[in-house]
Amino acid sequence: MSGQGLPLRVATLLTGLLECLGFAGVLFGWASLVFVFKKEHYFEELCEHDARLMGNATGMEDCKAQDEKFSLIFTLASFMNNFMTFPTGFIFDRFKTTVARLIAIFLYTSATLIIAFISAGSAMLLFLAMPMLSVGGILFLMTNLQVGNLFGKHRSTIITLYNGAFDSSSAVFLIIKLLYEKGISLRASFIFLSVCSVWHVGRTFLLMPRGHIPYPLPPNYSYGLCSGTGTREKKKTANSKELDLQAKEFLPPKEGSSASVAALSAAVPSLALTSLLCLGFAICASVPVLPLQYGTFVLQVISRSFLYGGNAAFLTLAFPSEHFGKLFGLVMALSAIVSLLQFPIFMCIKGPLQNNPFYVNVMLVLATLLTFAHPVLVYLECRQKATAPAATF
């Protein structure tokens, strides 16, 4: 690796991995946090209301209205986690890394402080705090994905690793639950998460670029602590990028495309494997055999990591890096819109289908089969470009 030393790049990689693992996707451990909220009597008045209506003293132990309230908070937060990725991706592309990360830190810290200091009487503030927490977390992930560009041919592996860390961070709320059972208050845990924002700020200015990490890296590329803050350093970076672009323009066309074609060709097996894992998950989930569902859970976790990691890696390979935030956000926003189909599908199963999900499962399997068109199209496009004469590029 030319330019900045390997130790600083490894430090950026490892601290970014820790940031994604410990903070970015904590929302998805919501079920563990609900246990603590119930112990703290959040929305308990809904249980009392139901118990009086039903004349059942045990209503306090299993309150449907309380569970629905917590479910609504999670639904809103998870929707915002995906849908708001598009506007935040635009901010990342337009205003670069430092601004995007400062916004993420503000949202995340505000959310953790709100959760730390609310009580059962102000539990409605969770409708504000959890979406802020999720949007701040996805911004952490988005700004860290570019770190893969520092490691050349290994960048797809690193992007997938970061996405896996994002999913694994759901364990943080489980740890908070276990600490609560050991006597550590919810307030203490979230104040600790708030204090960690000092570490986020330090990493933003010492181990992350002011702008974007380009790919391929220009000669003598520097960032973070060693880049300096003066105008001279910024001009040097801009000039190096300009020279790099000019060099690409003067290369023979068959050579500004051969590298990109090779990179996209290498991504085809990963795209096909992702579709295969998703198909296996859809089929296993459709088979009403209880022991098989252990395999379903495993496939769900693996396919999710491949899906998000492969998506991000493909976008970095197929499109210019300055548009990554918008494209990544657009894909996530579309996934949020598609997720809204869950409720009508659920109502269809409960109503016309009379609790029989067979036809819905068949449709989902067929829809998953359509995803195999993506690696096929990428393969055909790469083969066409590889065999076409230079004049066609």
Side-chain angles (χ1 to χ4, degrees), residues 6-17:
L6 181 61
L8 187 58
R9 298 187 184 189
V10 172
T12 301
L13 169 65
L14 295 180
T15 54
L17 190 63

Side-chain angles (χ1 to χ4, degrees), residues 1 48 56 120 184 205 226 230 238 261 356 370:
M1 297 178 185
E48 294 171 351
N56 182 3
I184 306 297
F205 290 104
C226 297
V261 169
N356 183 4
L370 293 177

Side-chain angles (χ1 to χ4, degrees), residues 28 74 119 127 155 174 197-198 278 325 362 384:
F28 299 102
F74 176 74
S119 61
F127 282 96
R155 65 175 178 161
L174 174 61
S197 294
V198 176
C278 291
V362 170
Q384 180 183 357

Side-chain angles (χ1 to χ4, degrees), residues 11-12 15-16 19 92 95-106 109 136 139-140 143-144 146-147 196-211 213 223-229:
T12 301
T15 54
E19 189 170 76
F92 174 56
F95 300 102
K96 315 304 181 187
T97 301
T98 300
V99 173
R101 285 186 60 82
L102 290 177
I103 293 173
I105 293 167
F106 170 77
T109 307
L139 259 176
F140 280 144
T143 56
N144 276 308
Q146 61 181 327
V147 173
C196 287
S197 294
V198 176
W199 180 73
H200 296 313
V201 172
R203 185 170 180 272
T204 298
F205 290 104
L206 299 179
L207 293 175
M208 294 296 286
R210 303 293 186 268
I213 300 176
Y223 69 97
L225 180 63
C226 297
S227 66
T229 57

Side-chain angles (χ1 to χ4, degrees), residues 8-51:
L8 187 58
R9 298 187 184 189
V10 172
T12 301
L13 169 65
L14 295 180
T15 54
L17 190 63
L18 180 61
E19 189 170 76
C20 290
L21 185 62
F23 303 93
V26 294
L27 169 70
F28 299 102
W30 174 248
S32 298
L33 201 59
V34 167
F35 171 86
V36 180
F37 287 147
K38 287 185 176 181
K39 289 290 186 180
E40 293 289 319
H41 312 294
Y42 285 40
F43 301 117
E44 194 174 82
E45 67 278 3
L46 299 175
C47 296
E48 294 171 351
H49 182 60
D50 281 359

Side-chain angles (χ1 to χ4, degrees), residues 218-392:
N220 300 319
Y221 175 74
S222 63
Y223 69 97
L225 180 63
C226 297
S227 66
T229 57
T231 306
R232 196 176 115 186
E233 290 293 336
K234 293 180 181 178
K235 287 183 178 178
K236 185 190 294 184
T237 304
N239 290 336
S240 68
K241 291 181 183 178
E242 192 176 66
L243 289 172
D244 187 57
L245 289 174
Q246 290 175 356
K248 288 181 180 178
E249 288 178 359
F250 286 100
L251 284 174
K254 191 171 182 179
E255 290 181 12
S257 61
S258 60
S260 61
V261 169
L264 281 176
S265 297
V268 170
S270 175
L271 295 173
L273 180 58
T274 301
S275 295
L276 187 62
L277 287 169
C278 291
L279 179 63
F281 166 67
I283 292 174
C284 290
S286 303
V287 179
V289 177
L290 188 58
L292 184 61
Q293 301 314 307
Y294 290 105
T296 302
F297 287 129
V298 173
L299 283 173
Q300 195 271 343
V301 172
I302 297 175
S303 63
R304 180 182 171 89
S305 295
F306 269 81
L307 188 63
Y308 283 93
N311 166 53
F314 175 76
L315 292 177
T316 62
L317 292 171
F319 301 97
S321 59
E322 60 266 24
H323 300 302
F324 173 77
K326 292 187 287 290
L327 293 171
F328 182 74
L330 180 61
V331 171
M332 297 294 285
L334 289 174
S335 71
I337 294 173
V338 172
S339 71
L340 295 177
L341 294 175
Q342 292 178 88
F343 183 73
I345 289 175
F346 177 78
M347 296 304 296
C348 180
I349 293 174
K350 290 294 183 181
L353 295 180
Q354 300 178 349
N355 291 322
N356 183 4
F358 175 76
Y359 294 105
V360 171
N361 289 333
V362 170
M363 293 300 296
L364 291 176
V365 169
L366 293 177
T368 306
L369 283 172
L370 293 177
T371 64
F372 283 94
H374 185 212
V376 171
L377 289 174
V378 173
Y379 171 75
L380 293 176
E381 180 72 12
C382 291
R383 188 175 69 172
Q384 180 183 357
K385 286 188 174 182
T387 57
T392 64

